Amino acid sequence: MERSIPTTDEEWRTRLTPEQFHVLREKGTERAFTGAYWDEHGDGVYRCAGCGAELFGSDTKFESGTGWPSFWQPIEDGRVELHDDISHFMHRIEVTCARCGSHLGHVFDDGPRPTGKRYCINSCSLEMDAPRP
């Protein structure tokens, strides 16, 4: 379920854990192989931890070997936005939630077919909903 979007850092800090705040609002990265979903194999929908927007489905999740959850496409067009990221002396494409602007991770061109994309997403930026019976 989508939630209201905080408007101040104080409101965000109330909603998120310190790690989530660092990743979602300060564009941080969680350590590889430490997040809740890098090795998750259940069915469900992955939502933004910041606002609850549906972002990715388990049917597009794949084993990338990177230590972060990886998907070959978002659940629907327009759910994420892409931005040039030239931090850390390299060029990458940042992935953010289209609804609340939270940093999710990065997308790379080394994923599987049919898209060839690897949306490499921080576990702490996601919440997973199991399918309803």
Side-chain angles (χ1 to χ4, degrees):
M1 174 159 64
E2 293 185 356
R3 300 181 293 271
S4 64
I5 299 173
T7 57
T8 66
D9 279 352
E10 182 179 320
E11 290 172 345
W12 279 111
R13 286 182 193 278
T14 299
R15 174 172 295 178
L16 304 172
T17 67
E19 181 182 33
Q20 286 175 319
F21 184 85
H22 175 65
V23 171
L24 275 75
R25 307 312 303 167
E26 298 176 327
K27 301 179 188 261
T29 302
E30 68 190 2
R31 286 188 6 245
F33 302 102
T34 64
Y37 301 123
W38 75 270
D39 197 30
E40 172 62 47
H41 301 284
D43 292 335
V45 172
Y46 292 86
R47 296 178 173 274
C48 175
C51 70
E54 292 185 351
L55 301 175
F56 298 96
S58 60
D59 57 335
T60 64
K61 189 173 187 290
F62 68 97
E63 293 294 328
S64 66
T66 62
W68 290 281
S70 297
F71 306 86
W72 49 266
Q73 76 179 15
I75 199 164
E76 188 177 282
D77 288 344
R79 294 300 177 122
V80 300
E81 294 180 343
L82 306 179
H83 311 274
D84 286 318
D85 177 357
I86 55 170
S87 63
H88 305 290
F89 306 104
M90 65 181 100
H91 179 256
R92 298 177 294 173
I93 304 298
E94 177 189 17
V95 181
T96 61
C97 174
R99 184 166 184 263
C100 71
S102 289
H103 172 78
L104 303 171
H106 292 86
V107 64
F108 302 94
D109 290 324
D110 60 2
R113 292 182 183 185
T115 65
K117 300 293 185 187
R118 173 173 53 96
Y119 288 82
C120 188
I121 307 298
N122 291 284
S123 284
C124 71
S125 68
L126 300 171
E127 295 173 344
M128 185 181 176
D129 284 347
R132 295 188 177 119

